[in-house]
Amino acid sequence: MMRIVLQFIGNAVCLLFAISVLGQNGMDSTIVSDSRYLEDQFYIGLGYNVLLDTPDEVGQQNLSYNLQAGFIKDIPLNQRRNFGVGLGLGYAVNSYYSNVVSSEESNTIVYQVMEGSNFNRSKFETHSIELPLELRWRTSTAEEYKFWRIYAGAKLGYVFSGRSKLVTDDGNDSFSNNDIEKLQYGLMLNFGYNTWNIHAYYALNPLLKEDATLNGNHIDFRVLRIGLIFYIL
């Protein structure tokens, strides 16, 4: 799995270099220096995680949140510099609350739907390193710092910590859950004006591995994330 991530990083770096060279070669050398700006940006986002493709007996509870932060390198592709690509590196923490409870039994993780007054909450929690790749369009200029933007692309995440947590009236239980997919990827769209932007992400692979089953059926949870993302120049 780590080899796949390293290969993706290597390919992304090669793409970054190639696009940068092509972009520089295609620009008019007479462009004045103050117009050769970049939209390199730090970003901070927060959102709500929706679990899709869940069985009828599975329901979400509490606030399934997302927190993300990172940096995007901007690579303009035209002379006006309002169209280009962005390659980033970030960190994200996600929590997915539901009535699905995980427990370890004989080196196997068992899943069941929990009900009752003794049950408080259960969640999957992930910490991951993310690599967003964006195709970027905006209405900015060298002098205008408030503008409309549409950034669409894909995101690859490597989960370096995945846990299951259960809280009941009798106490808490937490353990490292190896059923959580280490490599997660999906499509994303960010659009808005100035600092405030809507963020949407749809996972293309399940949250859990194929070995994870509930009542004999594979748990095919997919993630839809809706929230806000703030760009800081």
Side-chain angles (χ1 to χ4, degrees), residues 99-103 105 110-114 213-215 219:
N99 59 348
V100 175
V101 173
S102 313
S103 59
E105 299 180 7
V110 177
Y111 301 89
Q112 59 181 322
V113 175
M114 180 71 74
T213 60
L214 178 66
N215 298 327
I219 305 176

Side-chain angles (χ1 to χ4, degrees), residues 69-80:
F71 177 78
I72 296 284
K73 173 62 179 176
D74 188 66
I75 308 170
L77 297 179
N78 62 345
Q79 181 171 310
R80 183 181 168 184

